[in-house]
Amino acid sequence: MGTQLGFDWRQMVHSRKNLALAGLFVAAFIIGFFALMWTHRLDVGQTAQATANAAVANYAEYNLDTLSKSQKPLLANLDAQNSATGVIGLGIKLGELDTTRNGLLSLRNAQLEMRQRHFKAINTMPLPPLHQLKGDVLTLTKLKNTDKPAVTGVTTSSSYIVTILPYLSWLTGAAAILLACDSWVERRRHQTLMTARPLTAGVAGSSRLLTLTGFYLLILAAGLLAIVALPALFNGIGDTAYPLAVMGKTLLPLWQYLLLFGGLTLLAGIWIISFCMLLNTWVTNAYLTTFIAAAVAISPLMLPQVFRFLWFLPFPYLDSYATVSGTLIDRLNQPLASTWIGAGLLLVWVIVNLGLFGYRVKKEVA
């Protein structure tokens, strides 16, 4: 097995495709940092303005019947959201970090009330999911109590990480698919690679999975280095203890949150690799494998109502941020779609994939 691992490792390191993939992964974070820093995309000021515009429009619509008592709580909530965005804008304009944070806390409280009370305007307002709102309220309350500023844009390493966390799962998932799309194609086409090393299908599959996982870890490490080092050169690392909420209930400092998020991301990547290996026992085209794996990965996002009942499948938990933050529960309307259940299911399905892979390889060799 050691020889097999050594042979595979040299093949991986000297693969132009995989080295290019690592370079593209790092480049994505470098480009993303400058783009977000210069354009202020995803800054709190921009998102607050969108909320203010929607609140004003809804207020004008639902204020037509001024005598309706049932409309008063909705109008009060819309007014509270609009007022909070004004406080946020004032804090940003004056450079008062405490004012911006307090305005953001007021906004999140008003948005949470709208979610929980199911006001009429709920579908026309840019509201975050319920668990994200609960987590934001916890985070901002903690920051207020400890007199710390909130992340409102991309400057330091920690603020960059906090801002792009919702998108990391898509990038890491794409990296895993591109890495593993041809994971067993060459072995299947050239049976001498198997016969030259008399290993069982299980050992050969596990060896290949470990090798690809090792390179996947290198890609993740290179990306993390880019995320941390580049912003640090300009504005420093920032607050590594910045609080983030798990499942909208428990606060963890940023570095601990990253450990949990990274562990689930690694499990998701291992599942994708094992799934691509299994696909390669049927499909010898890397492009078709990539298409099938990508379609499977986004299916819970496209068909959330279906996966409310298929929560035991691994696909929904490939979005690590949605799983850890609890927004996956809101997306699927399924309370069982939690972090620890997701981690356990990913591990179980990796074993299932390897078992099916071994069966397929034995069947082909026989």
Side-chain angles (χ1 to χ4, degrees):
M1 185 174 177
T3 304
Q4 182 74 12
L5 279 170
F7 169 79
D8 278 346
W9 182 249
R10 287 193 295 272
Q11 291 293 317
M12 291 300 302
V13 171
H14 292 293
S15 169
R16 291 182 180 179
K17 184 208 77 172
N18 294 326
L19 291 178
L21 175 60
L24 287 173
F25 192 69
V26 172
F29 291 119
I30 295 174
I31 295 171
F33 170 69
F34 287 113
L36 293 175
M37 185 174 66
W38 290 340
T39 65
H40 301 287
R41 185 75 174 172
L42 302 181
D43 281 10
V44 166
Q46 285 192 353
T47 57
Q49 187 58 50
T51 300
N53 295 338
V56 170
N58 278 283
Y59 194 95
E61 178 180 350
Y62 290 104
N63 196 33
L64 295 176
D65 185 4
T66 55
L67 299 179
S68 175
K69 293 182 179 181
S70 62
Q71 300 292 72
K72 290 184 178 180
L74 167 60
L75 295 176
N77 184 274
L78 291 171
D79 186 57
Q81 290 194 49
N82 189 37
S83 298
T85 59
V87 175
I88 293 171
L90 180 64
I92 293 174
K93 184 176 181 179
L94 299 178
E96 296 179 353
L97 301 180
D98 291 350
T99 300
T100 304
R101 178 202 61 217
N102 294 341
L104 188 56
L105 177 57
S106 298
L107 176 61
R108 291 293 184 256
N109 275 317
Q111 290 176 324
L112 179 59
E113 181 191 23
M114 177 169 278
R115 279 284 185 200
Q116 291 176 327
R117 297 184 63 178
H118 303 284
F119 287 132
K120 286 184 178 180
I122 192 171
N123 294 323
T124 56
M125 292 294 293
L127 300 178
L130 178 62
H131 281 77
Q132 183 179 334
L133 284 172
K134 288 181 177 180
D136 286 351
V137 168
L138 282 176
T139 294
L140 291 164
T141 301
K142 176 70 173 181
L143 292 172
K144 183 178 181 179
N145 292 338
T146 55
D147 197 26
K148 290 183 178 181
V151 168
T152 57
V154 173
T155 51
T156 63
S157 301
S158 60
S159 66
Y160 184 31
I161 293 172
V162 170
T163 302
I164 66 169
L165 264 175
Y167 311 97
L168 277 180
S169 297
W170 300 101
L171 287 172
T172 55
I177 292 174
L178 293 175
L179 173 66
C181 62
D182 59 350
S183 53
W184 202 253
V185 170
E186 291 303 317
R187 298 298 182 88
R188 191 180 178 202
R189 288 176 179 171
H190 304 287
Q191 293 295 327
T192 54
L193 290 174
M194 287 294 294
T195 56
R197 290 169 174 80
L199 299 173
T200 65
V203 172
S206 300
S207 172
R208 191 64 169 161
L209 179 64
L210 287 172
T211 298
L212 290 167
T213 300
F215 201 80
Y216 180 63
L217 274 171
L218 279 181
I219 292 177
L220 294 183
L224 180 61
L225 181 62
I227 291 173
V228 174
L230 186 62
L233 292 175
F234 293 88
N235 301 298
I237 293 178
D239 185 9
T240 58
Y242 189 87
L244 290 174
V246 176
M247 304 295 294
K249 298 177 181 179
T250 306
L251 288 178
L252 290 179
L254 177 59
W255 67 272
Q256 290 184 12
Y257 188 95
L258 282 179
L259 289 177
L260 179 60
F261 176 86
L264 195 61
T265 299
L266 178 59
L267 276 175
I270 293 174
W271 182 86
I272 290 173
I273 292 169
S274 65
F275 181 66
C276 288
M277 287 172 54
L278 179 59
L279 279 178
N280 280 168
T281 63
W282 281 287
V283 180
T284 58
N285 187 295
Y287 298 103
L288 182 57
T289 301
T290 301
F291 175 79
I292 294 173
V296 165
I298 66 173
S299 58
L301 189 63
M302 304 300 293
L303 302 168
Q305 296 85 357
V306 173
F307 281 91
R308 176 185 179 184
F309 304 100
L310 300 179
W311 59 269
F312 53 86
L313 294 178
F315 317 144
Y317 309 100
L318 300 180
D319 188 345
S320 302
Y321 177 78
T323 306
V324 175
S325 65
T327 58
L328 184 61
I329 294 176
D330 303 318
R331 182 186 300 167
L332 304 183
N333 194 22
Q334 174 53 259
L336 292 174
S338 64
T339 302
W340 301 114
I341 288 179
L345 286 173
L346 285 171
L347 185 59
V348 168
W349 280 100
V350 166
I351 297 172
V352 171
N353 285 348
L354 281 179
L356 292 174
F357 171 84
Y359 171 76
R360 287 284 303 160
V361 173
K362 287 179 182 178
K363 189 176 180 180
E364 285 189 3
V365 173

